[in-house]
Amino acid sequence: MYSDKVMDHFTNPRNVGEIADADGIGEVGNARCGDIMKLWIKVDGDVITDVKFKTFGCGAAIATSSVITEMAIGKTVAEAERITNQEVAEELHGLPSVKMHCSNLAAEALMAAIEDYRKKSDKTSAS
Amino acid sequence: MDHAATTALRPEVLDSMLPYFGSEFGNASSVYGWGRRARQALDSARDTVSGLLGASSDEIIFTSGGSEGANLAIKGVAWANQNRGKHIITSAIEHHAVLDSVLWLEKQGFEITILPVDAEGQVAPAQVAEALRPDTILVSIMHANNEVGTIQPISEIGAIVREHGAFFHTDAVQTAGVLGMSVQELNVDLLSLSAHKFYGPKGVGALYLRKGVRLNPLIHGGAQEKRRRAGTENVAGIVGLAKALELAQEEREEENARLIALRDRLIEGLMRIPSTKVNGSLVQRLPNNVNVCFEFIEGESMLLNLDLRGVAASSGSACTSGSLDPSHVLLAMGLTHEIAHGSLRLTLGRDNTEADVDYVLQEVPMIVERLRAMSPLYQG
């Protein structure tokens, strides 16, 4: 039911872990429905230089988390912000339809991390 | 290790079926030789099955499987007896074939009581007694649960229900060929079973219906099964069911002892993994059932990892239950959603060996560790 690319990202997830001095952290989902994604980003200028993730969830949840780290690294914050859940699914050559809603949260996690980064940098520039 | 899902057809069973796919293709309702021989095969299968259940042969209705058996038992008894009352009792951990049938009847105007279970997944006979009302017509409690393997006190519940004058159905899909099947000892009026769970073919099952219990058919259109189930009989399937049940009942004590040893070795090994919990009873448990929860990880990702290592297993996580909620059985036993998502069920069978168990015990801890390292819920 999963594409080869989903299975590749599931079996060899990229960029697993945490960033100790992250510029933004985003967390979405909840344990009740069985998916939690947490994403750490590092930003240099306005370019995302590093992304790491930790995910509690099914195969699709882990694969989408992994692939979005690859999609986001090297993009500007503004570019990364435009990545949609749909694009994440396409990058993985599709997801089973039942997974599109419950386990396709990676773009939202990235968005949350970017929002957190913006809040933090606003504070920094204000002070 | 997913024998509770289905089992491989035994070669002896296949051999018993083959003639009825070939030269003996007759319709058991025909008067000529082919028909008579098919009829003989059906009669003989019916005698075998009724003998194994301690029933008489006209108390056996062949069906297309466990789901049809449960549907026929519940809807059939409810419709035929609604003049006596419209109240039905079941438990929260039933298979959906039972639960959804009962819930559908509720929409048709029947009143339903769904009994809770304790932390080990057991229904208390006293609660059944309390729930019985003058208008209760039917009680349906499974013989053993398919997810956590908890065996229910069917005989005791049956005595209470009979004393009260209601009918009692048990879903014995997980126990046929494994536990004692005497309908007299179990105190049941109806019992449903499915052949593919005991090394028989898929698409065939049987319903025991005690003489005198009125039942409306689900399928109309012929005199087959004494007008209780129309449709040309699945002769090959029915022959296979009888053969498989016969073999399973013959071998069950020896096989159960072997499976219990493997099961306990597996449970003991898995429990060495930190933050792990066994689900279900350690005493009233099916010989082949292992069900554990690993905290901080999700079931489907575990199943995918096991599959990559050649192990077939199952889980009560939402992803595998086909809904957004994890297993209704684990939730009814009081587990939180978070914990229930991390459940793993391994069900042993004839072809499993100690080496298989040891292989699983070598792989699972690595998989759990790897997924936990990836989990934001896990604090090393």
Side-chain angles (χ1 to χ4, degrees):
Chain A
M1 65 182 216
Y2 285 133
S3 70
D4 290 348
K5 192 150 180 198
V6 171
M7 287 310 290
D8 173 38
H9 276 270
F10 172 72
T11 44
N12 306 296
R14 306 356 172 217
N15 303 306
V16 176
E18 305 180 10
I19 300 175
D21 58 342
D23 296 312
I25 303 172
E27 184 174 329
V28 294
N30 64 67
R32 197 184 151 85
C33 47
D35 284 306
I36 300 178
M37 291 182 190
K38 197 166 177 186
L39 223 64
W40 288 259
I41 60 172
K42 192 81 196 146
V43 182
D44 188 4
D46 67 343
V47 174
I48 296 178
T49 55
D50 198 11
V51 184
K52 293 252 190 284
F53 82 91
K54 280 195 167 180
T55 290
F56 163 84
C58 65
I62 290 170
T64 52
S65 308
S66 165
V67 81
I68 206 166
T69 64
E70 286 190 337
M71 291 168 79
I73 292 171
K75 283 200 170 69
T76 65
V77 171
E79 285 165 348
E81 211 171 15
R82 287 197 294 270
I83 299 173
T84 64
N85 284 333
Q86 186 62 40
E87 285 165 349
V88 172
E90 280 163 17
E91 187 71 23
L92 287 168
H93 304 157
L95 283 176
S97 57
V98 292
K99 300 285 182 184
M100 286 302 286
H101 296 293
C102 61
S103 309
N104 191 8
L105 299 167
E108 285 155 42
L110 178 61
M111 199 86 86
I114 290 172
E115 257 171 50
D116 182 53
Y117 155 74
R118 289 234 163 90
K119 257 187 244 160
K120 282 179 183 156
S121 55
D122 282 354
K123 259 187 221 157
T124 323
S125 49
S127 60
Chain B
M1 290 199 183
D2 201 18
H3 288 83
T6 195
T7 55
L9 194 69
R10 284 179 71 153
E12 309 94 302
V13 174
L14 178 62
D15 285 344
S16 75
M17 296 170 68
L18 282 175
Y20 302 96
F21 286 120
S23 56
E24 295 301 336
F25 62 93
N27 184 325
S29 301
S30 306
V31 294
Y32 42 76
W34 280 285
R36 288 198 304 274
R37 289 193 294 279
R39 168 65 53 197
Q40 274 164 11
L42 274 185
D43 288 348
S44 150
R46 201 182 303 277
D47 288 344
T48 303
V49 173
S50 61
L52 292 167
L53 300 185
S56 67
S57 55
D58 56 356
E59 292 177 313
I60 303 297
I61 304 172
F62 290 115
T63 65
S64 66
S67 293
E68 188 192 328
N71 273 262
L72 177 57
I74 291 166
K75 295 175 186 169
V77 167
W79 282 331
N81 295 280
Q82 50 186 312
N83 58 331
R84 299 176 47 197
K86 297 193 97 172
H87 181 235
I88 299 171
I89 300 170
T90 189
S91 84
I93 57 158
E94 299 297 310
H95 188 277
H96 282 109
V98 168
L99 273 181
D100 290 353
S101 292
V102 167
L103 292 174
W104 181 81
L105 284 169
E106 189 175 30
K107 285 191 199 147
Q108 314 299 313
F110 287 83
E111 286 177 52
I112 307 303
T113 299
I114 297 180
L115 296 173
V117 293
D118 66 16
E120 294 188 344
Q122 209 158 37
V123 178
Q127 280 189 315
V128 177
E130 254 171 64
L132 283 163
R133 309 192 319 208
D135 61 340
T136 306
I137 49 173
L138 177 67
V139 178
S140 185
I141 306 287
M142 69 200 323
H143 196 183
N145 181 264
N146 49 314
E147 291 187 34
V148 296
T150 305
I151 300 168
Q152 305 298 333
I154 290 305
S155 177
E156 214 179 317
I157 295 171
I160 294 167
V161 176
R162 181 159 300 165
E163 170 81 26
H164 187 82
F167 297 126
F168 184 39
H169 166 248
T170 193
D171 161 6
V173 165
Q174 292 294 329
T175 54
V178 178
L179 302 181
M181 278 288 119
S182 156
V183 292
Q184 312 306 335
E185 280 170 31
L186 290 172
N187 292 323
V188 296
D189 301 300
L190 301 103
L191 177 149
S192 47
L193 54 85
S194 175
H196 77 100
K197 305 288 189 183
F198 48 83
Y199 310 93
K202 290 172 183 61
V204 60
L207 174 67
Y208 159 76
L209 174 71
R210 186 182 294 281
K211 241 178 246 155
V213 179
R214 287 177 51 206
L215 176 110
N216 273 18
L218 296 182
I219 303 174
H220 300 86
Q224 293 91 351
E225 303 300 302
K226 299 204 181 299
R227 294 205 167 271
R228 295 169 301 197
R229 203 271 186 189
T232 299
E233 299 88 345
N234 172 7
V235 179
I238 290 167
V239 166
L241 178 148
K243 182 72 182 172
L245 189 60
E246 190 174 29
L247 290 169
Q249 288 294 114
E250 248 170 53
E251 297 168 7
R252 72 181 179 89
E253 280 179 24
E254 201 179 325
E255 178 64 359
N256 285 352
R258 192 185 76 87
L259 290 176
I260 286 171
L262 292 181
R263 175 196 74 186
D264 292 347
R265 183 183 181 94
L266 195 46
I267 292 177
E268 211 184 292
L270 292 173
M271 287 305 289
R272 286 197 209 107
I273 299 172
S275 303
T276 302
K277 175 187 176 306
V278 181
N279 299 311
S281 166
L282 286 174
V283 185
Q284 293 301 322
R285 188 179 201 98
L286 286 175
N288 74 338
N289 177 287
V290 175
N291 191 311
V292 293
C293 280
F294 302 111
E295 281 187 68
F296 318 117
I297 60 176
E298 192 276 340
E300 192 216 58
S301 49
M302 202 157 30
L303 298 188
L304 287 172
N305 274 303
L306 280 167
D307 181 40
L308 290 167
R309 288 159 180 78
V311 180
S314 121
S315 165
S317 80
C319 287
T320 51
S321 75
S323 73
L324 288 177
D325 281 319
S327 147
H328 68 288
V329 174
L330 297 177
L331 295 181
M333 288 163 60
L335 270 69
T336 62
H337 279 66
E338 288 87 328
I339 305 289
H341 281 299
S343 82
L344 175 70
R345 181 188 75 175
L346 297 161
T347 42
L348 299 156
R350 279 172 57 77
D351 42 348
N352 289 135
T353 61
E354 201 169 278
D356 293 342
V357 167
D358 291 344
Y359 175 69
V360 167
L361 288 177
Q362 165 200 311
E363 296 298 323
V364 171
M366 291 192 284
I367 293 170
V368 171
E369 196 182 311
R370 178 172 169 273
L371 290 171
R372 279 182 177 167
M374 225 188 276
S375 169
L377 302 175
Y378 184 60
Q379 314 296 336

